């Protein structure tokens, strides 16, 4: 499975702070926003990932993440000259996806919950159709909403329905089989000239090949696209990290625990950031792991 992080757009809801920097390079507590979607793909077992952004912002992502080899990843970059809807990602990344299945995640989405890696890896295994992820919300009329038959099979999709048929909002994480590349290529733009991801999902729904994985109690899904949401996400991460003594979306730790790099490489990555609490944490994790052969992975 190939991964795509869509980190484009102008971040207009966060102006003026995004006038000079990509939204996905802003801080969510102690790390850049893009660490969160990147860590989600890493936990799913996806190591070949393309980041899509504007020409002026791609340099910032390259400086931050490089080619990914330090993390045992393969990172590439692609330009989106202007926002054309989420499904445009599959046109831009068609060569990157090749003949593989694809995972798309929005660059401002934060996921966290117990056993999340297992949920992701099981969902990514042998994708036949599309796999969406639903999250229960109290105001489903503000979101795209999915209805299932109780076994995860998707029965209906609706965008911001006046009378929602469920409370499951469709999150910004999507798994598809390879047919998504052709579907995106043939997709006609909607009324606003955008290639809507919901239109692709409806095609899979009509084929009977759409599944919805419910992220229920204990999971957190946050969209960091507004000032309040960005602050709330930072507060959530801060409180949990301080209480539990672990770091959410620590890509160096995840790379080690997933077996993408060894513990010595993890320690070296931490040592580069040793003057920060984040770097010290990475070093402590790697140093402690020296005596924990076979430590459980996430």
């Amino acid at each position: 499975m190939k991964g795509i992080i869509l980190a484009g757009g102008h971040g207009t809801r966060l102006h003026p702070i995004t006038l000079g920097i990509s939204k996905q390079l802003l801080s969510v507590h102690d790390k850049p926003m893009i660490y969160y979607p990147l860590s989600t793909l890493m936990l799913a077992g996806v190591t070949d990932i393309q980041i899509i952004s504007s020409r002026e912002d791609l340099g910032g992502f390259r400086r931050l993440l490089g080619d990914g080899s330090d993390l045992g990843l393969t990172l590439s970059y692609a330009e989106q000259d202007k926002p054309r809807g989420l499904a445009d990602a599959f046109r831009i990344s068609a060569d990157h996806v090749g003949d593989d299945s694809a995972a798309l995640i929005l660059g401002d989405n934060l996921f966290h919950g117990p056993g999340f890696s297992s949920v992701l890896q099981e969902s990514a295994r042998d994708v036949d159709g599309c796999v969406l992820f639903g999250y229960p919300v109290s105001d489903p009329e503000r979101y795209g909403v999915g209805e299932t038959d109780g076994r995860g099979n998707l029965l209906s999709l609706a965008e911001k329905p006046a009378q929602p048929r469920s409370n499951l909002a469709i999150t910004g994480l999507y798994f598809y089989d390879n047919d998504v590349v052709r579907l995106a290529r043939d997709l006609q733009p909607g009324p606003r000239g955008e290639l809507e991801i919901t239109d692709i999902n409806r095609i899979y729904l009509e084929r009977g090949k759409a599944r919805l994985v419910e992220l229920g109690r204990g999971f957190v899904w946050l969209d960091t696209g507004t000032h309040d949401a960005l602050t709330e996400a930072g507060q959530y991460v801060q409180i949990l990290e301080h209480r539990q003594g672990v770091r959410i979306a620590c890509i160096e730790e995840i790379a080690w625990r997933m077996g993408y790099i060894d513990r010595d490489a993890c320690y070296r990555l931490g040592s580069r950031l040793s003057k920060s609490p984040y770097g010290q944490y990475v070093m402590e994790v790697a140093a402690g792991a020296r005596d924990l052969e076979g430590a459980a992975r996430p």
Side-chain angles (χ1 to χ4, degrees):
M1 174 175 277
K2 299 291 180 59
I4 304 169
I5 301 176
L6 186 56
H10 302 298
T12 53
R13 292 184 298 167
L14 286 168
H15 282 176
I17 59 176
T18 50
L19 288 174
I21 187 173
S22 167
K23 172 176 65 175
Q24 290 82 10
L25 291 173
L26 295 175
S27 168
V28 178
H29 182 47
D30 58 349
K31 61 190 73 71
M33 186 187 297
I34 198 165
Y35 275 32
Y36 296 89
L38 177 59
S39 69
T40 296
L41 294 183
M42 292 171 67
L43 289 171
V46 179
T47 59
D48 193 344
I49 299 165
Q50 186 161 81
I51 296 170
I52 298 174
S53 191
S54 65
R55 177 181 299 179
E56 56 267 26
D57 289 326
L58 283 176
F61 293 110
R62 286 193 176 99
R63 287 191 297 273
L64 176 67
L65 299 168
D67 64 3
S69 57
D70 286 347
L71 296 165
L73 307 177
T74 299
L75 297 182
S76 59
Y77 301 88
E79 177 188 340
Q80 185 183 50
D81 58 354
K82 66 178 182 179
R84 293 189 182 86
L86 305 188
D88 188 43
F90 296 109
R91 290 186 174 184
I92 295 171
S93 295
D95 290 341
H96 166 66
V97 173
D99 296 327
D100 292 324
S101 55
L104 171 66
I105 187 168
L106 304 188
D108 63 356
N109 273 218
L110 185 159
F111 295 86
H112 182 252
F116 191 35
S117 180
S118 297
V119 171
L120 290 170
Q121 291 173 36
E122 181 178 349
S123 300
R125 191 176 298 118
D126 300 324
V127 175
D128 181 19
C130 78
V131 181
L132 310 178
F133 294 83
Y135 186 79
V137 295
S138 59
D139 50 354
E141 63 278 359
R142 294 180 53 236
Y143 301 90
V145 174
E147 177 193 14
T148 72
D149 62 3
R151 296 189 301 274
N153 298 311
L154 199 61
L155 297 177
S156 69
L157 281 170
E159 278 295 322
K160 299 181 180 179
Q163 296 181 321
R165 301 181 69 170
S166 85
N167 68 337
L168 293 177
I170 304 299
T171 71
L173 175 64
Y174 315 84
F175 292 169
Y176 296 97
D177 62 18
N178 187 256
D179 203 30
V180 71
V181 174
R182 182 186 61 80
L183 293 176
R185 183 191 65 219
D186 297 340
L187 193 65
Q188 296 300 311
R192 296 184 300 171
E194 296 186 345
L195 300 170
E196 301 290 351
I197 199 75
T198 301
D199 291 338
I200 286 182
N201 295 337
R202 285 201 177 101
I203 294 173
Y204 281 108
L205 173 62
E206 291 167 1
R207 293 177 175 178
K209 289 191 172 184
R211 190 160 61 89
L212 186 69
V213 176
E214 182 175 349
L215 303 176
R217 183 172 296 182
F219 278 92
V220 170
W221 167 55
L222 299 172
D223 175 340
T224 54
T226 67
H227 293 287
D228 286 345
L230 184 62
T231 299
E232 290 167 1
Q235 290 172 339
Y236 170 80
V237 173
Q238 180 187 39
I239 291 170
L240 209 61
E241 290 187 350
H242 285 188
R243 285 292 184 98
Q244 296 187 349
V246 298
R247 302 255 170 186
I248 298 172
C250 178
I251 56 178
E252 296 85 359
E253 180 183 8
I254 292 171
W256 170 70
R257 294 194 183 276
M258 292 293 292
Y260 305 149
I261 59 175
D262 61 28
R263 59 195 180 191
D264 293 324
C266 182
Y267 187 89
R268 287 194 298 272
L269 291 174
S271 67
R272 298 178 187 176
L273 310 170
S274 60
K275 292 188 177 181
S276 71
Y278 181 92
Q280 292 162 15
Y281 170 83
V282 174
M283 294 169 66
E284 291 167 3
V285 165
R290 294 175 189 273
D291 299 322
L292 293 174
E293 294 289 350
R297 296 175 181 171

